[in-house]
């Protein structure tokens, strides 16, 4: 999926439905040569909205959650 940052207040939200329990990896960041001042916060939430994992790097424009076990939903 893709999102475009148009304003400093932009927030992009994506939904992933897992047909069965398993592992998921998610990454977000800018393309090479893109913004260098992006403040990235990546959150992975369960079907009920509870926070499962997050990545909030202080000095990087990329964030990843790798091999996170999640329930179906």
């Amino acid at each position: 999926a893709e999102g475009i940052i148009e304003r400093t207040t932009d927030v992009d939200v994506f939904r992933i439905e897992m047909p069965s329990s398993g592992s998921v990896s998610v990454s977000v960041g800018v393309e090479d040569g893109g913004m260098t001042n992006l403040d990235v916060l990546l959150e992975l939430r369960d079907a009920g909205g509870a926070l499962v994992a997050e990545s909030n790097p202080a000095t990087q424009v990329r964030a990843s959650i790798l091999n996170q076990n999640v329930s179906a939903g």
Side-chain angles (χ1 to χ4, degrees), residues 1-2 14-15 18 22 24 28 36 39 44 53 57 59-66 70:
E2 294 182 12
F14 299 93
R15 180 181 175 145
M18 298 292 290
V24 66
V28 64
T36 58
D39 184 12
L44 181 62
T59 61
Q60 298 177 356
V61 293
R62 295 185 184 277
S64 297
I65 297 172
L66 303 175
V70 294

Side-chain angles (χ1 to χ4, degrees), residues 8-30:
T8 57
T9 56
D10 276 0
V11 174
D12 290 318
V13 177
F14 299 93
R15 180 181 175 145
I16 303 168
E17 290 190 30
M18 298 292 290
S20 61
S21 297
S23 178
V24 66
S25 294
V26 183
S27 295
V28 64
V30 298

Side-chain angles (χ1 to χ4, degrees), residues 3 5 7 13 39 43 48:
I5 300 170
R7 293 177 209 88
V13 177
D39 184 12
E43 295 180 338

Side-chain angles (χ1 to χ4, degrees), residues 29-41:
V30 298
E31 295 181 4
D32 291 337
M35 298 173 106
T36 58
N37 63 344
L38 179 66
D39 184 12
V40 178
L41 169 61

